[in-house]
Amino acid sequence: MCDNHNKNYTRRDFLTKTTLGMGALSLGAMIDPTSIFGNAPKGIPTDFGTGGVLGQPHFAPKAKRIIYLFQSGAPSQLDLFDYKPLLNKMQGQDLPESVHGGQRLTGMTSGQASLPLAGTLSKFNQYGDSGAWMTNLMPYTSKIVDELCFIKSMYTEAINHDPAITFIQTGSQLPGRPSMGSWLSYGLGTDNKNLPEFVVLVTKGKTGGQPLYSRLWGNGFLPSQHQGVQFRAGKDPVLYLTNPPGVDAKGRREQLDYLQKLEQLNHNDIGDPEILARMAQYEMAFRMQTSVPEIMDTADEPDYIYDMYGEDSKIPGTFAANALLARRLAERDVKFIQLYHQGWDQHGNLPNALNRQCKDTDQATAALIKDLKQRGMLEDTLVIWGGEFGRTNYSQGQLTATNFGRDHHGKCFTIFMAGAGIKGGVTLGATDDFGFNITQRPVHVHDFQATVMHLLGIDHERLTFKFQGRRYRLTDVHGEVVKEILA
């Protein structure tokens, strides 16, 4: 009897039926995640995300959500955080070969006759009880240094912008891998059924420097519902979300109901899980027609909040306005909120350009962290600030007393973090007196990614996706949690 049954049950039947079952499970999780996975494992709070492929985090998380303030173009660590007075003393002298050590240079400076050391024109002071060194170009952030954890020994193999940004966002220098936010969406699911798990905000009008591609917040080979959703300034925050003329909410609901029936029939025939992903996206878009306008309308914010974030917070699309939106999204339990701010690629005119960038971002960055703290949200919100690599200690092109530029430098750079699970008032790692090589506690990009996932309760080695015969993860085959910065 078993043999006869097996003969009538083909491999195609088996794959179709099992795919449908997994797809229905996935769709059900997106529509009502709490109904599928039951109770959380012991020690894991039930409000820390459900509906992802993991069902629940691997262990009790410290962070419930992330706000990543990505500074595209690579801020100069030597002019902002990594104080090196020796560079001012040796201004104009050639970088010693013993320090350079034959390291790889970009094509923009590899042909220079000399590599003249460039000191900083900004003033450095120590701030807070921690005594952290910081530039005077960031007066607001300097007041909250005891909330911050500086990692001054970050490094990457990438030396140009596109592979470097792709690497820190996706774990690979090559395009096509899922972004960090997509991995977290895939693993942990959603805490708010009316908003995406992964939202992207890009400062408007920052056209100079390196471009930003939507693949940086793409889903790669993960199901498409895990890609980041970009919210824009203007009357249509999400493209193609608004109903066309003559279509009301009731008509749209009826249309989606019939479409869902057709798509389910289509899925029953071919078993493609992307059909279910598309259905889930349609349903999310319908709910977002109400939730997105509400989240984007900041008119109910009190005046003191606008004063805290700065005048720019009243101008949609600015970094300050996006920082305020990030807090509003975090309040509604969006899991991964990514802000991109371009303009840090200062190969020339660094002193003036750096000053402008700091004015655009400093007050709002500090305000966001203070705002989260005053609402009791910083304890479960992780805030990250940083770019894709650092800048050289020597000048690209002509060096003068008032002007210079810095080339790319991947061998050491600085980021800072604050909030959930992170020690405040701490500096990890160090570079040599020239700010060129790491001397204490190197932290690779994959280590950073592993640490972020750890704070959300994920073992980075255990969240994988099989694609083209291989199991992939965000950290590839590398990465160790940076335990020294964990609270």
Side-chain angles (χ1 to χ4, degrees):
M1 182 177 293
C2 291
D3 290 341
N4 290 335
H5 177 72
N6 288 339
K7 288 178 181 178
N8 294 326
Y9 195 71
T10 67
R11 185 176 66 172
R12 181 182 296 275
D13 292 332
F14 172 78
L15 291 174
T16 298
K17 291 180 182 295
T18 54
T19 302
L20 175 60
M22 291 304 294
L25 182 66
S26 176
L27 179 62
M30 288 180 280
I31 294 175
D32 186 8
T34 59
S35 67
I36 292 199
F37 294 103
N39 297 326
K42 185 176 180 181
I44 297 180
T46 57
D47 63 343
F48 270 77
T50 52
V53 69
L54 298 180
Q56 293 290 344
H58 292 127
F59 44 82
K62 296 293 182 67
K64 188 176 181 180
R65 66 192 73 84
I66 293 175
I67 301 176
Y68 192 164
L69 310 176
F70 190 80
Q71 311 303 315
S72 175
S76 171
Q77 77 282 8
L78 298 170
D79 298 283
L80 297 177
F81 311 115
D82 202 5
Y83 182 42
K84 300 299 175 185
L86 181 63
L87 297 181
N88 287 76
K89 294 178 181 178
M90 296 183 63
Q91 173 87 356
Q93 297 182 41
D94 204 34
L95 174 65
E97 180 59 32
S98 60
V99 176
H100 173 248
Q103 292 184 30
R104 179 185 177 197
L105 305 178
T106 75
M108 292 172 283
T109 54
S110 60
Q112 285 188 191
S114 64
L115 301 174
L117 295 172
T120 181
L121 295 181
S122 67
K123 304 298 182 184
F124 272 73
N125 291 294
Q126 288 180 284
Y127 297 94
D129 294 335
S130 60
W133 287 97
M134 271 196 63
T135 175
N136 65 341
L137 298 179
M138 302 178 76
Y140 292 93
T141 305
S142 67
K143 293 178 182 177
I144 62 163
V145 291
D146 290 335
E147 301 288 349
L148 308 181
C149 172
F150 293 94
I151 302 179
K152 295 187 176 181
S153 52
M154 288 288 300
Y155 74 99
T156 178
E157 289 82 17
I159 199 170
N160 287 311
H161 292 286
D162 190 78
I165 295 176
T166 305
F167 190 33
I168 202 166
Q169 298 291 279
T170 73
S172 172
Q173 295 187 45
L174 301 177
R177 300 282 184 88
S179 59
M180 185 186 299
S182 294
W183 276 112
L184 296 176
S185 169
Y186 170 70
L188 297 178
T190 182
D191 299 319
N192 185 326
K193 293 186 289 183
N194 297 318
L195 288 168
E197 303 99 294
F198 179 14
V199 172
V200 176
L201 301 165
V202 179
T203 304
K204 72 174 184 180
K206 301 293 289 186
T207 55
Q210 298 300 313
L212 292 173
Y213 301 104
S214 59
R215 60 175 168 77
L216 295 174
W217 50 91
N219 58 291
F221 44 68
L222 295 177
S224 57
Q225 71 264 28
H226 301 297
Q227 65 185 313
V229 177
Q230 185 177 352
F231 284 16
R232 295 167 167 83
K235 68 174 185 176
D236 292 318
V238 179
L239 297 181
Y240 314 116
L241 187 65
T242 305
N243 287 329
V247 178
D248 60 13
K250 181 180 178 182
R252 177 63 79 188
R253 180 67 268 167
E254 291 177 351
Q255 181 188 48
L256 288 176
D257 290 342
Y258 281 111
L259 182 61
Q260 186 178 54
K261 293 177 182 178
L262 291 173
E263 293 282 31
Q264 187 65 60
L265 290 172
N266 193 24
H267 181 271
N268 291 347
D269 287 339
I270 65 175
D272 184 355
E274 272 299 303
I275 295 174
L276 294 177
R278 185 164 61 240
M279 291 162 59
Q281 288 171 316
Y282 291 157
E283 291 296 327
M284 173 60 76
F286 181 76
R287 296 193 295 272
M288 285 168 60
Q289 288 183 332
T290 299
S291 62
V292 170
E294 183 270 333
I295 197 80
M296 300 295 286
D297 183 5
T298 62
D300 61 341
E301 295 288 345
D303 288 342
Y304 83 89
I305 289 293
Y306 286 118
D307 293 339
M308 182 186 298
Y309 283 82
E311 282 298 310
D312 280 355
S313 63
K314 299 178 181 178
I315 305 173
T318 61
F319 179 85
N322 286 344
L324 177 54
L325 282 175
R327 189 266 290 161
R328 291 171 64 87
L329 289 164
E331 284 183 304
R332 289 154 179 84
D333 287 325
V334 173
K335 190 167 297 295
F336 195 89
I337 306 153
Q338 179 100 51
L339 277 66
Y340 287 93
H341 185 81
Q342 295 166 275
W344 295 95
D345 189 24
Q346 291 135 7
H347 292 273
N349 194 31
L350 183 145
N352 291 331
L354 189 67
N355 188 38
R356 287 196 302 269
Q357 288 292 99
C358 290
K359 286 182 177 179
D360 285 344
T361 59
D362 171 45
Q363 183 173 354
T365 297
L368 174 62
I369 293 171
K370 291 193 297 182
D371 198 4
L372 291 170
K373 185 174 183 178
Q374 72 182 5
R375 295 168 191 272
M377 294 175 61
L378 191 59
E379 63 188 25
D380 60 8
T381 304
L382 175 65
V383 180
I384 306 167
W385 190 104
E388 65 268 35
F389 45 54
R391 314 300 300 199
T392 57
N393 57 4
Y394 58 82
S395 176
Q396 177 178 339
Q398 185 178 10
L399 172 67
T400 72
T402 59
N403 198 12
F404 60 93
R406 298 191 191 275
D407 199 3
H408 310 162
H409 190 59
K411 292 300 181 181
C412 55
F413 63 105
T414 300
I415 67 169
F416 67 74
M417 307 166 77
I422 291 293
K423 294 178 181 177
V426 169
T427 295
L428 179 72
T431 60
D432 60 27
D433 291 339
F434 292 87
F436 199 80
N437 296 295
I438 294 172
T439 58
Q440 294 179 22
R441 189 50 172 99
V443 177
H444 189 264
V445 166
H446 286 313
D447 301 332
F448 159 72
Q449 293 164 339
T451 305
V452 170
M453 298 187 81
H454 176 86
L455 289 167
L456 281 158
I458 297 175
D459 180 343
H460 70 104
E461 295 183 354
R462 294 165 61 194
L463 178 59
T464 63
F465 188 90
K466 192 171 184 179
F467 176 66
Q468 294 182 341
R470 176 192 161 188
R471 295 195 181 278
Y472 287 87
R473 67 186 204 225
L474 172 64
T475 52
D476 196 36
V477 295
H478 309 284
E480 295 182 0
V481 175
V482 185
K483 296 180 179 179
E484 299 96 316
I485 66 173
L486 301 181

